[in-house]
Amino acid sequence: MVTGESVDTGPTQPDVAVVGGGPIGWAIAWRCATRGLRVVVHDPAPGSGASQVAAGMLAPVAEAYFGERELTGLLTESASRWPGFAAELTEATGVDIGYRTEGTLMVGLTADDLAEARRLWAYQQGLGLPVTPLRPSQLREREPALAPRVRGGALAATDHQVDPRRLVPALRLAAERAGAVLVAEPVRWLSEITAGVTVVAAGCGAAALTGLPVRPVKGQVLRLRAPDGAPPGFRHVIRGYADGEHVYLVPRECGEVVVGATVEERSDLEVSAGAVLRLLRAAVDLLPEIAEYDLVETTAGLRPGTPDNAPILGPLPGHPGVLVAAGHHRHGIVLTPVTADLITDLVTGGGGPEPLLAPFRPDRFGDLPGGVGVTATGSTFQPATEVDTWN
Ligand code: GLY
């Protein structure tokens, strides 16, 4: 096990303290507890962070962006683990986590939108990712509810979805059944924790605890509901460009449709009329029937962003026994299985050097500015209450 030399690892102390009760934190806790380790999870409000807002798209293909090749590799690896992870979680808990495999349709409304989309699809195909262009008639065959104006699209058949609002309670249940224990209090300093290994899975809160460059990236999201308790009139996740607006629509069996999301360099949680207007206009342009749905929720959340949009995974420099699993930005839900597996391997010392981790290590950012939550000096810390992740 990767232990710090200065911590108390006596018999009453946990083997592993996870800071953060979002999907990443609970998944690590579950994996560690099932390996027989004594695990505590610190979070004053578990599951209340960004995962509450997240749509749950498992989209390594549709979210493969220019210049993010290594991240795309990790997303693809994690997505490939999702079917087994979902099955194992359902087996452990009996909870239906809303895992759906109909795939994702990527569409362009206007000729300009389609041209922009096609550049990205060509890049994705160049990486060997499964993007299948569809003629308009093929698109409508798959999804008759699409607006007649939609010019064209492509299928990412392997981009699936899960419901984060079901996933996080299921992960918590699995972890607690395996023996993990919640400590419902904030952690202000890592030095407060006595455990063999501390794992910082605190989303945006990781910045204050570790000094790592994790910043909030605001996203506003809508939830709609199909009339009369019916399921939505479309089955695929739809990701579209509509008159220059990027929008996604995620249908759930229960009738809910998640419509997202803005990407804003802000840290407030206000919902603005302009954002709701733009998201709804883009959604209705692509799927006109959405106009008949009830608008049941408008929310904002904070993605834990990093300078290179990639997560931070591995040992915190200068702090033996402290591991980081944070900064998952737009990809927290899809990256949950691989993060949990890799961090658990680090905790238990299993598996040897892991090439998958190399591009994502905390030391890629060089020297840290003192880690305001790591030592009991400094006065600018924020308690780790924003603990969570996003997809
Ligand atoms: N991955 C979806 C989002 O960040 O909005």
Side-chain angles (χ1 to χ4, degrees):
M1 188 189 297
V2 182
T3 54
E5 286 167 14
S6 58
V7 291
D8 179 357
T9 55
T12 60
Q13 303 301 334
D15 299 310
V16 185
V18 179
V19 185
I24 302 282
W26 283 117
I28 292 168
W30 176 36
R31 290 303 199 212
C32 286
T34 53
R35 292 205 199 174
L37 299 174
R38 289 165 300 167
V39 182
V40 294
V41 175
H42 294 264
D43 196 322
S48 66
S51 64
Q52 277 298 298
V53 183
M57 292 174 294
L58 311 174
V61 176
E63 297 206 351
Y65 296 122
F66 301 104
E68 297 183 353
R69 206 183 172 111
E70 283 164 334
L71 174 59
T72 298
L74 192 70
L75 296 174
T76 305
E77 173 60 33
S78 199
S80 75
R81 297 183 189 202
W82 253 102
F85 186 81
E88 215 182 314
L89 186 56
T90 303
E91 162 103 30
T93 63
V95 175
D96 172 4
I97 58 171
Y99 179 60
R100 289 180 61 172
T101 59
E102 288 93 335
T104 295
L105 287 179
M106 305 179 287
V107 302
L109 182 67
T110 66
D112 283 351
D113 291 325
L114 195 55
E116 183 180 352
R118 280 183 173 148
R119 286 184 58 209
L120 187 59
W121 301 340
Y123 168 74
Q124 292 162 343
Q125 286 174 315
L127 294 179
L129 297 172
V131 175
T132 310
L134 300 176
R135 290 193 305 276
S137 60
Q138 293 174 309
L139 258 186
R140 270 168 206 93
E141 227 166 80
R142 283 192 164 268
E143 217 50 279
L146 279 169
R149 281 179 63 210
V150 171
R151 290 290 287 254
L155 173 68
T158 54
D159 278 10
H160 299 157
Q161 65 142 310
V162 70
D163 185 344
R165 291 184 177 180
R166 295 173 178 224
L167 171 68
V168 181
L171 285 169
R172 175 175 174 181
L173 181 61
E176 289 183 332
R177 280 190 176 164
V181 174
L182 173 70
V183 178
E185 283 166 16
V187 173
R188 290 180 171 79
W189 316 103
L190 292 184
S191 55
E192 291 169 15
I193 294 174
T194 52
V197 179
T198 298
V199 181
V200 180
C204 291
L209 287 168
T210 64
L212 286 162
V214 182
R215 71 182 194 288
V217 179
K218 178 178 172 180
Q220 300 187 52
V221 177
L222 317 177
R223 279 177 164 78
L224 286 70
R225 193 164 287 283
D228 304 324
F234 59 104
R235 299 176 303 115
H236 299 79
V237 172
I238 309 286
R239 301 180 68 104
Y241 298 78
D243 274 326
E245 288 290 337
H246 296 190
V247 69
Y248 52 75
L249 298 95
V250 182
R252 308 241 197 262
E253 291 288 353
C254 64
E256 181 180 86
V257 175
V258 183
V259 177
T262 64
V263 180
E264 303 167 69
E265 291 293 338
R266 297 170 61 121
S267 58
D268 65 275
L269 293 173
E270 303 303 321
V271 174
S272 71
V276 174
L277 178 68
R278 284 196 304 279
L279 289 170
L280 278 180
R281 185 188 290 139
V284 170
D285 280 350
L286 297 178
L287 280 143
E289 71 170 51
I290 288 293
E292 311 293 331
Y293 288 26
D294 297 332
L295 175 60
V296 293
E297 193 182 300
T298 59
T299 34
L302 301 175
R303 306 174 181 88
T306 62
D308 55 10
N309 297 332
I312 307 175
L313 308 173
L316 182 64
H319 296 278
V322 178
L323 301 173
V324 181
H328 289 73
H329 191 35
R330 303 186 67 132
H331 310 294
I333 305 296
V334 65
L335 287 176
T336 292
V338 80
T339 301
D341 291 345
L342 293 173
I343 295 294
T344 303
D345 282 347
L346 284 180
V347 168
T348 57
E354 174 51 79
L356 267 180
L357 275 175
F360 307 106
R361 292 172 63 95
D363 57 13
R364 73 185 186 274
F365 299 113
D367 288 340
L368 301 178
V372 292
V374 175
T375 63
T377 58
S379 59
T380 57
F381 76 85
Q382 296 289 325
T385 49
E386 277 299 339
V387 288
D388 224 318
T389 189
W390 186 294
N391 261 105

